[in-house]
Amino acid sequence: MSLDKIIVPLDVSSKEDAIALVEKLPQVTFWKVGLELFVSCGPEILTFLKSQEKRIFLDLKFHDIPNTVAGACRSASRYGVDLITLHATAGKTALKAAQIAAEDAAKEAGYPVPKLIAITLLTSLNSRDLAFDLKVPLELPEYALNMALLAQESGLAGAVCSPQEVAQLRQTCGNEFLLVCPGVRPVWADKGDQQRTFTPVEALKAGANYLVIGRPITASDDPVKALERIIEEIG
Ligand SMILES: O=c1ccn([C@@H]2O[C@H](COP(=O)(O)O)[C@@H](O)[C@H]2O)c(=O)[nH]1
């Protein structure tokens, strides 16, 4: 069912606002907790989501030295979350250490091992940003693919990529590799700061496992209708 493929970010600044959104959209089973909410209310929001039997994408995008990234993934894996993000640019040693730490911690806590997924290149960046600001001498699709392969070679379950790169990553990384796509915009929605977008239908056709769709739903005057419209479009 298409609703199972949609992850909605709780990009709000308080636990009360987050709970109100979860209650407004009871049909959503998979929620994303990102930096804004986690920094303001901490793990309490994870406890709430677990109590509602929701799946949790903990999107804190860890990026640090191997010992620190592994420690963060160890702590995060004790909450029983389903997905955790870290930046592929932390490097192979950090990604491998994070995977081992997550496996050990989840087992100790009695939870299934969360899937670690690596950020390839933020969907708010375009080719110009990559070439001129970040001074990366690779074409954007090649860079994103290299980051995904780095994650795969390090034993991670998947990657976060723009829907525009998902077909290439799916072809190279195979069907078992999880591809989670933010930067998804129905034609009627504002793109905001997202640079590399596809519609929900295009992203799923290209091979995405999950679509992260935030503001088109959560910033809409009627989030319930906006979600229904997206589900209808996906069919
Ligand atoms: O490359 C990335 C990685 C993460 N995100 C996160 O996804 C959502 C997208 O929200 P929208 O409102 O649909 O733009 C947001 O929480 C980001 O932190 C991303 O956009 N791109």
Side-chain angles (χ1 to χ4, degrees), residues 30-132:
F30 213 154
W31 289 94
K32 184 172 90 68
V33 174
L35 289 165
E36 182 182 5
L37 184 59
F38 199 80
V39 169
S40 59
C41 73
E44 275 180 29
I45 188 61
L46 307 179
T47 311
F48 166 74
L49 290 168
K50 293 292 288 180
S51 75
Q52 302 299 302
E53 297 181 355
K54 302 294 183 187
R55 287 180 292 163
I56 304 173
F57 174 7
L58 186 61
D59 181 24
L60 300 181
K61 301 184 184 70
F62 301 130
H63 192 199
D64 212 311
I65 61 170
N67 186 55
T68 306
V69 169
C73 287
R74 185 176 303 114
S75 295
S77 301
R78 293 190 184 120
Y79 295 125
V81 299
D82 299 273
L83 298 176
I84 296 174
T85 46
L86 61 169
H87 279 277
T89 47
K92 211 177 226 179
T93 308
L95 300 181
K96 282 183 173 173
Q99 181 63 35
I100 292 168
E103 286 170 13
D104 291 349
K107 273 176 208 152
E108 261 176 50
Y111 284 119
V113 179
K115 291 188 173 19
L116 299 194
I117 53 176
I119 307 286
T120 52
L121 181 71
L122 291 170
T123 53
S124 53
L125 298 171
N126 60 27
S127 308
R128 200 206 158 279
D129 300 323
L130 188 70
F132 294 101

